[in-house]
Structures are given as C-alpha cells and as structure tokens.
Amino acid sequence: VFQGTPLLLQLFLVFFGAPVLGLEINPWVAAGAALILNSSAFLGEIWRGCIQAIPGGQWEAAQALSLPYLSRMRDVILPQAFKIALA
C-alpha cells in the first residue's frame, strides 16, 4: 500500500487521517511516522529481493543439514543476502 503512493500523499494521509481515527498527534510525529512507513516499505522490498536471489541449492543444502527454519535463515541465507543487499 505504501510503496505505490507518493510520499507527499502518505504525509497527508497520516497527518489528516489520524484525527479521523481519533488520534490527535503532533505534526512532527505524523511526519516521522509517515517517513518510517515509507522507508520500511522500500527496505522490506529490498530484503525480500535479496533473500529470493539466493540460489535454491543453498536452501536445499541447509534443509539437507536438518537445520530448523530460524537457523537456516540466520546461518546460511541471511549472510549471503546481506552481501547482495550491500551492493
């Protein structure tokens, strides 16, 4: 939702939409919240792409070692995805 809309629209939605929901917030807090939501949408997409760029053989190798999902991600997939994300 947040990635497909312009940042100015997101700022307006948070600032003017919060009072509609019953939240009276400071304009600086509204701007900060909108910027955080905007950047998290883009960073989430970057990390998703980096994780999907890891070859399937790496996933299969980690699974062949009978690693649980969290260990598989922490020890095998995410270090490789971090190298891709830095570029």
Side-chain angles (χ1 to χ4, degrees):
V1 173
F2 266 76
Q3 196 173 6
T5 58
L7 179 59
L8 186 60
L9 177 66
Q10 294 169 10
L11 290 167
F12 283 155
L13 282 175
V14 172
F15 182 70
F16 293 116
V20 172
L21 298 175
L23 302 171
E24 295 295 327
I25 59 174
N26 186 356
W28 288 103
V29 174
L35 291 172
I36 287 171
L37 289 171
N38 182 282
S39 62
S40 65
F42 281 99
L43 288 174
E45 186 67 22
I46 289 169
W47 277 106
R48 184 196 62 80
C50 292
I51 290 172
Q52 284 186 340
I54 304 301
Q58 296 294 317
W59 291 89
E60 293 170 4
Q63 191 172 11
L65 292 172
S66 299
L67 291 175
Y69 181 77
L70 290 176
S71 295
R72 198 179 317 158
M73 291 298 286
R74 183 184 61 231
D75 298 332
V76 179
I77 303 301
L78 290 180
Q80 296 177 49
F82 183 71
K83 288 181 182 179
I84 296 171
L86 284 179

